[in-house]
Structure formats: C-alpha cells, structure tokens
Amino acid sequence: MKEFAYRRATAVHDALTSVAEAGTKFLGGGTNLVDLMKRGVETPARLIDVRALPLAGISEAANGDLVIGATTTNSETAAHPEIRRRYPALSQAVLAGASGQLRNMATVAGNLLQRTRCAYFADLASACNKRVPGSGCAALEGEHHNHAVLGTSPSCVATNPSDMAVALMLFDAVVRYETLTGQGEIPIGEFFRPVGDTPDVETALPAGALITSVTLPHKENSRSRYRKVRERASYAFATVSVAADLTVREGRVHEVRIALGGVASHPWRARIAEERLLGGPATPEMFRAAAVAELAAATPLPHNGYKVSLARNLVQAVLTDLTRAE
C-alpha cells in the first residue's frame, strides 16, 4: 500500500477545507476504500476521517420525512424501528448486503459511494475505463457472467454493488451534501451518472462535496420487500435483486414501485414496468408482462443473458408475494 497521511476531522468545514487539497479523500468506515488502497486501485495522498463529525443518527423531520445521517452505520440503519416499520425493504436490503462485522463499520454515505466489484477494475494489469479512462473494458471480451445487462455502453458493463442503494432508489430518497460554497441536494434518481463514455464519473456529487444525510420521503407502514439472488447464501453481491412496494385495492394496482440491482451500473428504477402496472389487475400474468416490457431494452453479452430471465422471474415473484401480504 502506498504511504498516506491521516487526519480526523472535528467539524464539517474543517473536513471540506482539508479535502480541497489535491490527492485527498474522505474516509468513513473504510470497508471499500481501504481494500482498493491495498490493491493500488486507489492511491490517495491523505485521508480525512469523517466519523467523528456530528452526522450520525436517524431522526424524523417536521414533515414526517426520515433523515439518516451520513455516518450512520449500516447496522444502525437496518435495526432502526422506524426503518423496519415504514421502509422494510431498506432494512432487508442492508441486512442482505454484507457480514455483520462489515455492517457495523460501513456508513450510509460510504455505501452510496462504493466502487464496482468488477474483477477487471480491481486488477491493475487489466484494461478498465473506470480506473484508467480510455484504456478499454476487458470485461467485454472476458469474464462477464455477472455484469450489467441494462444501461451499458461500449465503455463499461460493470454493475453497482450496493443493496442499500436499490432500496433508496425504490423510496425516492434524497442525498444531501455540503461544499465550501454551500449546501445542496440530489434526488437519488439523479445521483448516479449514466455510464456513457465516462464510466469513471460515477455520481453527480460536486467536487469536494461531503454527503451529510439521506432523506426518505414520508411513508407509513410500507409492505415493501427486497429479494436478492446471489451465488452463495451469504456475503455475496447480487446477481439480480428486486426491491418492490405495492398497494392493491379491489384487485387492482393502486401504487407500485420497483427497483432492480445487479443489472446495471446503478440501481435501476423500473419505470416502464410501473407504468404498465398502475391501475391494472394485480395478477402474476400482468406482473410478468410488465417485467418483460422493462427488460426489453436489455443488451446482454454472450455469457450474462440469463440475468434477463432471472430479473423477469424475480420481479414477478416479489410482486406476487406482496399481493398475498395485502
């Protein structure tokens, strides 16, 4: 690992001033960044530890929104009674995301900013446009059975590894941040950048910004669900995952939200499927037809086409289960 300097920030302004120096990165739980530093993928000259900043905890805003502080751990988020009651898919997604030890260290902001687990990204000897812009994408002709099938480009077919972000996409969360010039916010649907020809630019955060919180719009007693298919029973990234929130009245879909993980470079909101379902009969056949319409835009590679049928089947299964919970 390359030698680096370390300092613990005691105030938000202090952290923002420090990170303005070239070669500086924020450090939260370190569960992703430190691994990448060990591999030589990330080589910051200095780290600014933000865990001592007053950015932890979960609170309810005056309008009923739930505010999750940026340095709140994944374990705290998953266990919080209001998260479990009002946004159960978020709690389920976090618990599906990693081992208990990692959840105890990982933070909400760090989870949103984690990098892809593509093996070529982590291998300095391989071409990767995320790591070295313009170098190419080794996965296109290499091992890609667990890579993206939606929203890809010739520059990158890597997937986003976050389970939490899929649930945040489902609930239309808002990411709040601070810079030296002021505060701002980004809806989660605009937070992750499309791949295009700049896969190294992964989020819409301004340079030097510090995430301060994530806000969940007010919701009561959601019956949402998160389901994840993976290659082994625990501590594995999603092959495909589905987060869904469904309300049925008199046999018809009154409200529906669907988000997919493991299929794109960012959590994928299934807007086409939602539009197909809204107001229609809440039947397995309709759920399947909506999933087929959503995945019609998929562009699988030779060895990951199975993800299309897996995602279709998983959407149908999760929505069908939710109708039984009504």
Side-chain angles (χ1 to χ4, degrees):
M1 182 186 293
K2 176 185 173 182
E3 184 175 312
F4 62 92
Y6 168 90
R7 189 164 67 81
R8 177 167 287 191
T10 57
V12 171
H13 187 269
D14 172 43
L16 292 170
T17 301
S18 298
V19 86
E21 301 176 38
T24 305
K25 283 186 173 290
F26 291 128
L27 175 71
T31 56
N32 181 216
L33 176 58
V34 173
D35 281 347
L36 294 176
M37 291 172 64
K38 290 177 181 178
R39 291 175 175 266
V41 176
E42 295 276 10
T43 56
R46 62 191 61 81
L47 296 178
I48 305 301
D49 191 333
V50 299
R51 288 174 296 179
L53 300 181
L55 299 176
I58 300 174
S59 59
E60 185 171 353
N63 63 356
D65 292 352
L66 211 60
V67 181
I68 309 173
T71 59
T72 307
T73 67
N74 287 11
S75 292
E76 291 167 331
T77 300
H80 195 278
E82 288 301 294
I83 296 288
R84 295 174 64 186
R85 181 177 72 86
R86 295 163 58 180
Y87 313 93
L90 176 55
S91 179
Q92 294 162 13
V94 174
L95 292 173
S99 67
Q101 295 93 328
L102 286 173
R103 292 196 298 270
N104 289 341
M105 286 295 295
T107 63
V108 169
N111 189 288
L112 284 174
L113 296 174
Q114 65 182 304
R115 311 296 301 277
T116 182
R117 267 33 178 214
C118 175
Y120 298 110
F121 172 74
D123 178 12
L124 299 183
S126 298
C128 175
N129 289 316
K130 271 188 180 293
R131 181 169 31 79
V132 182
S135 63
C137 176
L140 290 173
E141 302 295 332
E143 175 54 56
H144 53 245
H145 82 280
N146 208 16
H147 282 61
V149 296
L150 288 168
T152 61
S153 81
S155 297
C156 183
V157 291
T159 58
N160 183 286
S162 177
D163 293 282
M164 176 187 287
V166 179
L168 293 177
M169 184 72 75
L170 179 75
F171 293 119
D172 293 319
V174 176
V175 180
R176 290 189 163 82
Y177 64 87
E178 191 165 336
T179 69
L180 286 173
T181 58
Q183 300 177 344
E185 62 180 43
I186 309 172
I188 193 72
E190 301 171 14
F191 181 79
F192 297 100
R193 292 279 302 272
V195 175
D197 57 3
T198 57
D200 56 306
V201 183
E202 295 174 341
T203 76
L205 274 179
L210 174 68
I211 295 176
T212 54
S213 67
V214 174
T215 298
L216 294 165
H218 177 72
K219 189 170 183 62
E220 285 293 335
N221 300 319
S222 163
R223 288 192 173 123
S224 60
R225 186 162 298 176
Y226 181 79
R227 187 168 170 184
K228 175 180 180 178
V229 175
R230 45 192 165 184
E231 293 183 346
R232 59 180 184 270
S234 64
Y235 191 29
F237 298 102
T239 301
V240 175
S241 64
V242 172
D245 189 6
L246 178 69
T247 301
V248 176
R249 293 182 181 174
E250 297 179 351
R252 306 191 79 82
V253 176
H254 179 70
E255 293 180 358
V256 62
R257 300 180 186 196
I258 307 167
L260 307 178
V263 296
S265 65
H266 55 82
W268 187 271
R269 185 67 179 268
R271 302 285 187 185
I272 294 173
E274 292 173 357
E275 291 174 5
R276 288 289 187 100
L277 289 171
L278 194 61
T283 64
E285 294 75 19
M286 290 300 296
F287 298 153
R288 186 173 189 83
V292 168
E294 184 66 46
L295 290 155
T299 55
L301 295 166
H303 304 299
N304 69 352
Y306 74 98
K307 281 197 172 190
V308 177
S309 57
L310 178 57
R312 182 178 62 231
N313 293 342
L314 197 58
V315 168
Q316 180 183 3
V318 172
L319 291 175
T320 300
D321 285 348
L322 284 170
T323 61
R324 294 168 182 157
E326 287 286 334

